[in-house]
Amino acid sequence: MMKKGVLTMIAIFSIVTIGKAQKQEKTKIKEVITAFAKAGDSNDYEALDAYLDDNYRVVMNRLFGSKQVAILPKTVYVDKIKSKEFGGDTRELTFKNITVNGLTASAEVIFVGSKMTFHSIMLLAKNEENVWKLVSDMPVVEK
């Protein structure tokens, strides 16, 4: 009986600990995405770069009237922020879902701005310094 009680307590402690760690990671992910959005909103391409993995890309499926999938690598995306072709809008973020899977994560986020509203699925990876970086963004324009 005593052994079963101890095992139950260990199991409960493990679940609580894992849940707390997941919540902390989700908070960090929200912070990275929020900082990324603010850097884009202010066209601060240098600050933006800190949140993007070197392999970052925007995957646009039939966006802006296109009939195909277009992929913007990090360098092109940052250049578009720098030239103010992208960005320059103050957006509100709504986090719909964040899933952490070890050293990777996905976040479903709605960005609402005065110029445009889009629903995005973002992929992140945790680097060797335990910092979350954006790897991919798949936006769908809502208006």
Side-chain angles (χ1 to χ4, degrees):
M1 284 298 252
M2 177 88 150
K3 200 177 209 183
K4 196 174 197 179
V6 170
L7 289 175
T8 301
M9 292 294 286
I10 290 171
I12 291 170
F13 178 75
S14 297
I15 290 168
V16 169
T17 302
I18 290 168
K20 185 176 180 183
Q22 285 269 328
K23 187 174 182 179
Q24 289 172 340
E25 292 305 320
K26 288 179 180 183
T27 298
K28 290 176 186 176
I29 288 164
K30 284 182 180 180
E31 289 170 356
V32 167
I33 293 171
T34 300
F36 156 82
K38 286 183 179 179
D41 290 353
S42 62
N43 290 102
D44 187 347
Y45 61 93
E46 290 175 337
L48 183 77
D49 191 62
Y51 306 108
L52 306 178
D53 182 81
D54 289 342
N55 296 299
Y56 176 80
R57 65 199 67 250
V58 179
V59 180
M60 300 183 298
N61 185 20
R62 301 182 339 178
L63 242 59
F64 309 118
S66 170
K67 299 203 184 308
Q68 57 194 4
V69 174
I71 297 176
L72 295 179
K74 177 183 176 180
T75 54
V76 173
Y77 178 75
V78 172
D79 284 346
K80 288 185 180 290
I81 293 291
K82 185 177 181 179
S83 71
K84 299 184 179 178
E85 183 180 340
F86 287 1
D89 193 7
T90 302
R91 299 172 292 175
E92 294 289 324
L93 277 59
T94 301
F95 292 88
K96 301 297 280 182
N97 187 33
I98 297 174
T99 302
V100 178
N101 185 19
L103 299 175
T104 61
S106 65
E108 182 181 356
V109 186
I110 298 173
F111 295 81
V112 178
S114 61
K115 296 178 183 179
M116 187 181 310
T117 295
F118 59 93
H119 193 138
S120 197
I121 297 181
M122 308 180 95
L123 302 179
L124 300 94
K126 192 184 247 191
N127 66 14
E128 289 179 337
E129 291 83 34
N130 287 321
V131 175
W132 288 104
K133 297 274 189 164
L134 289 157
V135 175
S136 181
D137 184 1
M138 293 183 64
V140 174
V141 176
E142 294 183 356
K143 71 166 190 156

